[in-house]
Amino acid sequence: MTAQTGPGLVDESAPAGDQLQQPFSAADPAAVLDFTEVHRSYPVLADFRARLGATPLKEVPSVEGGARILAKCEWENPIGSIKDRIAYALMADALRTHGDGDPRDLRLVAYSGGDLAEAMSFLGMQTGVKTRFVLGSFVPKSLIDTLEGRGSLVDLVPKELGFLRVIRRSQRIAVEEPGWTLVFQHSNPVNVAMHEQTTGAEIVTQLGERRPDLWIASIGSGGTLVGVLRALRKRFPDVRAVGVTPEEAPYGNPEAPGGKPTYEGSGGHGFGIRQPFVKAHDEWIHEQRHVPTRRALDAMGEFFDATGMRIGSSAAANWLIAKDYAARMPPSAVVVTVFPCSGTPEQWVELGR
Ligand SMILES: Cc1ncc(COP(=O)(O)O)c(C=O)c1O
C-alpha cells in the first residue's frame, strides 16, 4: 500500500467488482427478512430471533436546560450488542440461499470490528455452519478466545493497515480459497432492513407521543444510521439525522487509511470511499460529526461515573454528539441516539472502573 496520504489517492487493493463500491438501494424489509423456511429448518435461529431486540430506550444525562436525550441500549441483546440483530439476519440469509444443503457444507467468512463476529460465531456453533472472521489485530484477546472456543477460525490483519484492509482480506479469501462464502455486511440489504424492521420500528413504538427532532448514530456499515432513519422518516418525515465517526477515520475521508487507532465498530474507510448504505442516503443526513478516539474513551468513564451504566466507545461518541446538539435545543426537543454495546473488559480495566 502507498505510504502517501492526500486526496485523489487510489485504493490499489480494491478487487474487481468491489462490493464496497456498488450502488445500494434499500429493499422491502418484509420481503428480504422472510425467514419462515429457515426458521422451520433451524429452530435455534427462530429462538434467537424471538430473543432479539425489545431493548430499552432510556433517557440519559443531557445538558442542563437543553433537549432530552433518549438512547437505545443495545447491550441487552442476547450476545450483548446491536450486531446480534445483523448477525442473525446475515446468517438466516446465508442459510436461505444454502437451501436444503447440509449446514456443515456452508462455510462463511466475514470481516468484523468484533461485535458481529461474536454474535455470528455463536449462531454458527448453534446451526452447524462453519465460520471464519477477519479482524484487525486491535481486537481484545478475550474476543479471540471466545471465537476460537466456539470453533470459529480467526484471521488477524495488522492494526496499522486500517479496517479497509480487514475488508480486503476477507474479499481475497472468498476469491482465492474455494469453499468460503463472503458475508458482506456493508452491502447486504438485510442489514438496513433488519434495522428498519426491528431497531427503528421499536424506537417509533417506544417514542409513543414524543416526536424525535434528531437521530444520531455512529457509522460502521451505516446499517443502524440508515435503517433506523428509514423507519423514523415514515412516521416523522422532518426528523434530522447525524452520522458520527472517529476523528482519526472520518466518513468519506479521502486519505489513505490506517495508522491511528479508532474507537469501536465505527469509521470511514479512506480513499474517499463512502459506505454504500450511507452514500445512498447522503441527502437525508444533515451533518457528519467526528469524535477523537481518546475523547470517546474518556466519555465512557464520565458516563459510568454519572449513571453507573457501562457504555461502549461508539456509544460514548454518540452521547457526546447528542449532548452537543441538545445544548443548542430547547428542553421540549428530543434527541434519539443508540448505545451499540457496553464496551470490552479490557477497556474497563484500562479506564480503571
Ligand atoms: C460497537 C459498535 N458501534 C457501532 C457500530 C456501527 O454499526 P453499523 O454497522 O450499523 O453502522 C458497530 C458495528 O459493528 C459496533 O460494533
Side-chain angles (χ1 to χ4, degrees):
M1 187 164 77
T2 174
Q4 299 164 301
T5 58
L9 289 174
V10 178
D11 173 18
E12 285 159 13
S13 64
D18 181 14
Q19 293 92 333
L20 261 188
Q21 308 201 43
Q22 301 299 314
F24 171 75
S25 52
D28 172 14
V32 289
L33 300 176
D34 179 2
F35 296 129
T36 318
E37 289 302 318
V38 179
H39 285 180
R40 201 164 290 145
S41 307
Y42 298 91
V44 286
L45 268 188
D47 175 61
F48 192 81
R49 174 69 186 84
R51 294 192 290 127
L52 268 181
T55 52
L57 183 69
K58 286 195 176 136
E59 179 153 8
V60 298
S62 181
V63 173
E64 179 112 18
R68 296 167 71 188
I69 303 174
L70 304 176
K72 187 84 168 142
C73 297
E74 286 293 300
W75 58 81
E76 299 223 359
N77 279 300
I79 306 296
S81 87
I82 197 163
K83 284 302 195 182
D84 292 11
R85 300 175 189 263
I86 304 314
Y88 155 80
L90 292 168
M91 179 61 84
D93 184 48
L95 281 167
R96 182 172 54 192
T97 305
H98 190 60
D100 292 334
D102 187 331
R104 289 169 301 185
D105 295 337
L106 181 59
R107 304 201 300 159
L108 300 178
V109 58
Y111 58 89
S112 168
D115 288 332
L116 183 85
E118 185 161 7
M120 224 167 165
S121 75
F122 175 80
L123 294 174
M125 186 180 68
Q126 295 255 297
T127 53
V129 171
K130 183 84 184 159
T131 53
R132 175 173 177 180
F133 300 104
V134 186
L135 308 166
S137 59
F138 52 79
V139 295
K141 168 104 177 40
S142 58
L143 174 65
I144 297 171
D145 291 346
T146 301
L147 300 178
E148 290 181 342
R150 290 181 185 147
S152 301
L153 299 177
V154 175
D155 297 60
L156 294 180
V157 172
K159 60 183 174 206
E160 302 72 34
L161 296 178
F163 196 67
L164 183 62
R165 280 305 179 103
V166 174
I167 297 177
R168 296 301 186 221
R169 170 80 69 86
S170 69
Q171 289 173 312
R172 224 174 44 239
I173 288 169
V175 169
E176 292 174 4
E177 298 186 41
W180 288 103
T181 299
L182 180 62
V183 173
F184 208 83
Q185 55 164 313
H186 281 59
S187 65
N188 191 323
V190 302
N191 182 342
V192 169
M194 193 67 189
H195 282 301
E196 185 175 342
Q197 192 187 71
T198 71
T199 329
E202 288 169 26
I203 291 173
V204 168
T205 305
Q206 288 166 317
L207 281 167
E209 295 301 304
R210 295 168 291 191
R211 188 180 57 83
D213 296 279
L214 192 59
W215 160 240
I216 296 175
S218 53
I219 300 174
S221 68
T224 310
L225 173 67
V226 164
V228 170
L229 182 58
R230 292 179 66 83
L232 289 176
R233 280 176 61 109
K234 278 193 197 141
R235 175 83 177 271
F236 310 103
D238 297 333
V239 68
R240 297 172 71 79
V242 173
V244 185
T245 39
E247 193 172 272
E248 297 82 0
Y251 171 68
N253 180 17
E255 299 188 347
K260 300 178 198 136
T262 56
Y263 61 76
E264 270 171 296
S266 313
H269 299 307
F271 297 120
I273 296 168
R274 290 181 284 156
Q275 280 84 335
F277 303 150
V278 184
K279 186 175 178 181
H281 294 79
D282 267 343
E283 63 203 54
W284 287 7
I285 294 153
H286 300 89
E287 217 178 336
Q288 292 290 341
R289 296 288 303 271
H290 311 119
V291 177
T293 291
R294 187 64 256 168
R295 184 72 197 94
L297 293 167
D298 288 343
M300 291 170 69
E302 289 159 27
F303 190 88
F304 179 77
D305 293 343
T307 65
M309 275 160 60
R310 292 183 197 279
I311 63 172
S313 50
S314 63
N318 288 346
W319 179 56
L320 290 171
I321 297 298
K323 284 200 296 178
D324 189 58
Y325 281 96
R328 292 177 270 136
M329 295 164 81
S332 57
V334 174
V335 176
V336 181
T337 190
V338 60
F339 289 172
C341 71
S342 58
T344 65
E346 285 83 349
Q347 284 173 326
W348 288 109
V349 168
E350 196 195 310
L351 287 165
R353 269 74 162 198

